[in-house]
Amino acid sequence: MDDDGRYRDNDDDDYAGVPSNDGGYYRNDSRANDEEGHSDSTEGHDEDDEIYEGEYQGIPRAESGKAGSMDGVTAAQAQQFRDLSAYEGERRKDQEELAQQYEAILQECGHGKFQWTLYFVLGLALMADGVEIFVVGFVLPSAQIDMCLSEPNKGMLGLIVYLGMMVGAFLWGGLADRIGRRQTLLISLSINSVFAFFSSFVQGYSSFLLCRLISGVGIGGSIPIVFSYYSEFLAQEKRGEHLSWLCMFWMIGGIYASAMAWAIIPHYGWSFQMGSAYQFHSWRVFVLVCAFPSVAAISALTTMPESPRFYLENGKHDEAWMILKQVHDTNMRAKGYPERVFSVTTIKTVKQMDELVNMGDGAAWHEKWRIKLTTLFHQNFSLSSSYYGLTVWFPDMIKYLQKQEYSSRTKVFVKEKVEHVTFNFTLENQVHRQGEYFNDKFMNLKMKSMVFEDSLFEECYFEDITSTNTFFKNCTFIATLFYNTDLFKYRLINCKLINSTFLHNKEGCLLSDISDENNAYMVYFVSFLGTLAVLPGNIVSALLMDKIGRLRMLAGSSVISCISCFFLSFGNSESAMIALLCLFGGISIASWNSLDVLTVELYPSDKRTTAFGFLNALCKLAAVLGISIFTSFVGITKAVPILFASGALAAGSFLALKLPETRGQVLQ
């Protein structure tokens, strides 16, 4: 950084300077450098007529040298790459000048009504991303009944959202650098909302899976575009703070999803049925309601302009100037200074790169770009695998602890003899061994977690039975009738049926386990608490991001998160696991906020959403791997998930030190 406040690339030691500064804003009144031949654009200038004296004019024609002369070819190639290098050098200098001028323009525009309006509009898009993460997990207990989902199908449905978001982040991130942030975000959110809407009505598993996949692809563009879009309207002094405040909408999305699930899904009366083929139950209402943030974001985004920085990078200076003037005038009117005039008259021109020209891979900037990308990839991967793995492992561990506690209350009956008795009440959590049942009736009842082993049923009658996690093992049925029950033969393990009959079996799915209403409420409540717990971390990171820097925030949060993982080994009860979930979420959110700010500030405007999308796609891949690894150890051992998460977070803390600090720098 020079004494006059300008930032320079270390590789450009021969950089002669930037246009003169008139009143703090760069004007187009400087003379072009005679050697480099670059020039500024003027307002209304026709880009098609713009010619640069030092611009690369193409590969030298063959007739300009001796045919077959290797020296001529070598000289032509050397000249070609010298021209390319010079052209790229001029372009980088133009971009640096533009970055300095753009920062000055944003300071003149101020931070006010326009940025806060955009904050809430983009917040809705980020909120939709937070909702998407929770939707499938909340509807699985109910959807598995309607769709007859097996355990593998349930697992695939849980992962399909992350796979879709991985594809979407890569796709939309690259597209946003080509056609614009606003337009790409509108397309991605539209795809998300349309297929989220369809998924609430489709009946089959395959159709639902496809809709959630495409819905995930749509919402995958939210994070990389939203942060890049918003950052290009923020001056450097408060950029880290306001980007961190924007992260709060992801938390709001989780709270919204938890609250809606709590309020809607358990209300089984909110449903209708059209014959036996079409059913619309309360969980489908919940899926429909979860599409509202995306629809609201689309409606609000249509009122906002494109990023002026994107326009400037693509040579659309008139459009950029009009948007910057709109930002200035909106803020000044809101602050009570409508008479203030937007003083910027011209904006720096950046030479447009011919994308078909190979710039060579040996240039220093390519190496810097690769190092940044690799380091951020490792940091993102370690944090994502730990965070998503633990956040899915926590609820599974809570369910496992609930099952253990439930099993500890199992009643066992041995060698009981029951004759001429009618059972018309719920039978739950019992084991009957070597029992004898003669002329007994089991009517209009539910069997929950019932096991009959080595028992005899003679002249018994089963009618209108609904069972979950109920099995008959090594039992004998003599002259027994099953009428309108779901006790299909797969419930009867190694059993003998003698003169026994099944009539009018119940249709639908037979599941090994169904969570009751109380457990459903517990899942929603735990998710609500876990999401709300990130609020303190969000506030702290927002207030300190521009004070202590991005790297200190990232490294410090990763270290504390690593330490908090150690206490997971003491989580032997449901309440302890919930408390640890809240602790980990509240600490780790600061790392996420720091990574979001760093990613935005480390990459140039013409590559920003591409790089962000690529890294976010790798985050989702790490999430899939982390979830798969962590859940496989539920009920086996806690040591492996804890060591894996702690090691990954420790590695992330070390990697954070390799990243450059971006606090106080202009947006390159």
Side-chain angles (χ1 to χ4, degrees):
M1 180 173 176
D2 294 343
D3 294 336
D4 57 359
R6 294 194 297 267
Y7 288 85
R8 301 187 179 184
D9 194 317
N10 293 333
D11 293 338
D12 297 331
D13 295 330
D14 58 345
Y15 178 42
V18 296
S20 61
N21 188 315
D22 184 8
Y25 302 101
Y26 291 84
R27 307 285 184 152
N28 193 22
D29 54 4
S30 65
R31 290 180 296 181
N33 186 293
D34 293 333
E35 295 179 0
E36 296 174 352
H38 68 275
S39 61
D40 296 343
S41 67
T42 57
E43 194 171 358
H45 182 68
D46 188 352
E47 296 172 8
D48 295 333
D49 296 331
E50 190 168 54
I51 298 176
Y52 299 96
E53 296 174 3
E55 184 176 357
Y56 171 58
Q57 299 297 325
I59 300 174
R61 297 192 301 183
E63 59 267 22
S64 65
K66 294 182 180 180
S69 173
M70 292 301 295
D71 292 340
V73 173
T74 302
Q77 290 176 342
Q79 182 61 38
Q80 171 189 352
F81 285 108
R82 279 196 296 270
D83 290 343
L84 290 173
S85 179
Y87 187 87
E88 176 60 18
E90 293 178 11
R91 177 176 166 82
R92 294 208 316 274
K93 291 176 182 178
D94 289 345
Q95 288 176 325
E96 182 177 307
E97 293 178 15
L98 173 60
Q100 297 289 346
Q101 183 186 15
Y102 192 78
E103 176 63 31
I105 293 173
L106 288 179
Q107 291 178 1
E108 179 180 352
C109 293
H111 188 95
K113 179 180 178 181
F114 182 91
Q115 282 86 354
W116 283 113
T117 302
L118 184 63
Y119 169 81
F120 286 104
V121 171
L122 296 180
L124 289 172
L126 199 59
M127 179 181 172
D129 182 273
V131 170
E132 189 77 15
I133 294 293
F134 291 92
V135 170
V136 172
F138 287 159
V139 303
L140 266 181
S142 301
Q144 66 175 333
I145 302 174
D146 283 7
M147 299 182 182
C148 304
L149 300 183
S150 62
E151 289 300 320
N153 286 343
K154 288 166 58 180
M156 176 55 68
L157 194 56
L159 293 177
I160 200 67
V161 174
Y162 292 98
L163 294 175
M165 295 174 77
M166 179 180 68
V167 174
F170 187 80
L171 172 65
W172 304 119
L175 194 61
D177 277 329
R178 292 180 177 271
I179 68 172
R181 282 78 162 114
R182 175 180 175 273
Q183 185 175 349
T184 305
L185 187 57
L186 281 171
I187 295 172
S188 65
L189 289 175
S190 298
I191 292 175
N192 168 253
S193 58
V194 167
F195 282 91
F197 176 81
F198 285 158
S199 68
S200 67
F201 292 96
V202 297
Q203 295 294 297
Y205 166 74
S206 299
S207 301
F208 186 77
L209 189 71
L210 178 63
C211 286
R212 296 315 304 184
L213 172 64
I214 302 178
S215 175
V217 171
I219 201 62
S222 177
I223 288 180
I225 298 176
V226 161
F227 284 101
S228 300
Y229 190 6
Y230 191 48
S231 69
E232 291 169 352
F233 285 93
L234 299 174
Q236 65 183 23
E237 290 87 353
K238 295 290 185 179
R239 188 186 304 123
E241 176 183 342
H242 288 286
L243 287 175
S244 298
W245 288 126
L246 185 63
C247 293
M248 293 187 66
F249 276 93
W250 197 94
M251 174 200 72
I252 295 173
I255 293 175
Y256 174 83
S258 302
M260 291 299 101
W262 198 342
I264 295 174
I265 295 180
H267 292 277
Y268 303 109
W270 295 12
S271 62
F272 64 88
Q273 185 170 335
M274 298 173 62
S276 59
Y278 190 87
Q279 298 177 344
F280 193 90
H281 291 147
S282 57
W283 67 268
R284 296 183 181 275
V285 178
F286 167 72
V287 173
L288 192 62
V289 169
C290 285
F292 288 172
S294 184
V295 174
I298 294 170
S299 301
L301 192 59
T302 56
T303 65
M304 304 307 296
E306 179 58 80
S307 164
R309 188 62 180 268
F310 169 78
Y311 277 149
L312 291 173
E313 292 291 341
N314 289 272
K316 298 182 179 180
H317 301 85
D318 292 343
E319 293 89 339
W321 185 88
M322 292 297 294
I323 294 171
L324 289 169
K325 184 178 185 301
Q326 176 187 348
V327 175
H328 174 274
D329 293 347
T330 300
N331 289 341
M332 292 303 107
R333 284 195 300 268
K335 293 178 180 179
Y337 305 107
E339 70 281 357
R340 290 191 179 178
V341 179
F342 186 50
S343 64
V344 177
T345 57
T346 56
I347 304 176
K348 179 67 185 177
T349 298
V350 176
K351 294 177 176 61
Q352 298 305 300
M353 182 62 64
D354 184 357
E355 296 179 358
L356 298 178
V357 175
N358 181 12
M359 296 306 300
D361 294 330
W365 70 273
H366 282 289
E367 184 66 18
K368 291 181 178 181
W369 208 87
R370 184 190 64 80
I371 293 173
K372 293 177 183 178
L373 192 65
T374 303
T375 306
L376 272 177
F377 157 65
H378 291 146
Q379 176 69 46
N380 274 272
F381 195 91
S382 63
L383 182 59
S384 297
S385 58
S386 301
Y387 178 82
Y388 287 107
L390 285 175
T391 51
V392 174
W393 182 69
F394 275 125
D396 286 347
M397 276 300 298
I398 290 174
K399 291 178 183 177
Y400 174 74
L401 293 173
Q402 287 176 337
K403 288 181 179 180
Q404 281 191 320
E405 193 273 336
Y406 185 76
S407 299
S408 67
R409 294 185 282 109
T410 301
K411 296 180 180 179
V412 180
F413 301 86
V414 181
K415 294 183 178 181
E416 61 179 355
K417 293 184 179 181
V418 182
E419 298 180 355
H420 310 292
V421 174
T422 298
F423 295 89
N424 56 6
F425 49 87
T426 298
L427 299 175
E428 182 177 1
N429 200 17
Q430 299 175 7
V431 175
H432 296 260
R433 298 192 179 103
Q434 300 177 5
E436 295 182 6
Y437 303 89
F438 179 75
N439 197 20
D440 295 320
K441 294 182 180 180
F442 299 82
M443 302 176 63
N444 302 316
L445 59 84
K446 294 182 179 180
M447 292 184 175
K448 298 181 180 179
S449 300
M450 294 291 296
V451 178
F452 295 87
E453 298 178 350
D454 303 310
S455 298
L456 172 64
F457 295 85
E458 186 174 357
E459 296 183 10
C460 292
Y461 180 69
F462 292 82
E463 179 182 354
D464 195 16
I465 305 296
T466 302
S467 63
T468 58
N469 200 28
T470 295
F471 300 96
F472 296 82
K473 302 178 180 179
N474 301 315
C475 295
T476 301
F477 296 88
I478 302 174
T480 297
L481 175 63
F482 297 85
Y483 182 84
N484 192 31
T485 73
D486 62 3
L487 299 176
F488 294 160
K489 291 186 178 180
Y490 94 96
R491 300 280 197 193
L492 311 180
I493 302 174
N494 297 326
C495 294
K496 295 181 180 179
L497 297 173
I498 303 174
N499 297 327
S500 298
T501 307
F502 290 84
L503 296 176
H504 299 286
N505 292 330
K506 287 188 175 182
E507 297 181 356
C509 306
L510 297 203
L511 305 171
S512 59
D513 186 22
I514 301 178
S515 300
D516 59 23
E517 186 172 321
N518 291 330
N519 285 337
Y521 276 120
M522 176 57 70
V523 171
Y524 310 144
F525 180 67
V526 170
S527 299
F528 177 84
L529 286 181
T531 308
L532 188 62
V534 307
L535 178 61
N538 260 321
I539 295 175
V540 171
S541 64
L543 295 178
L544 298 182
M545 188 70 71
D546 288 316
K547 291 182 173 62
I548 67 175
R550 288 75 162 124
L551 295 188
R552 290 181 181 176
M553 180 70 69
L554 176 58
S557 176
S558 298
V559 169
I560 300 175
S561 298
C562 177
I563 296 174
S564 69
C565 284
F566 171 76
F567 294 99
L568 295 177
S569 57
F570 301 101
N572 296 319
S573 66
E574 186 176 324
S575 57
M577 293 301 294
I578 294 174
L580 291 170
L581 168 65
C582 296
L583 175 64
F584 179 79
I587 296 172
S588 61
I589 192 63
S591 296
W592 283 114
N593 293 355
S594 303
L595 275 177
D596 291 334
V597 176
L598 273 170
T599 306
V600 163
E601 296 177 335
L602 278 178
Y603 294 99
S605 296
D606 58 341
K607 303 288 193 303
R608 183 168 294 124
T609 58
T610 301
F612 207 141
F614 178 73
L615 290 169
N616 197 254
L618 294 177
C619 280
K620 298 305 183 288
L621 176 61
V624 171
L625 295 176
I627 291 170
S628 302
I629 293 172
F630 281 46
T631 54
S632 63
F633 288 97
V634 172
I636 300 176
T637 177
K638 291 191 294 185
V640 173
I642 291 173
L643 290 175
F644 182 90
S646 301
L649 290 168
S653 304
F654 173 75
L655 289 168
L657 302 177
K658 292 188 174 183
L659 292 169
E661 178 59 75
T662 59
R663 179 179 56 159
Q665 295 186 8
V666 297
L667 203 61
Q668 293 292 341

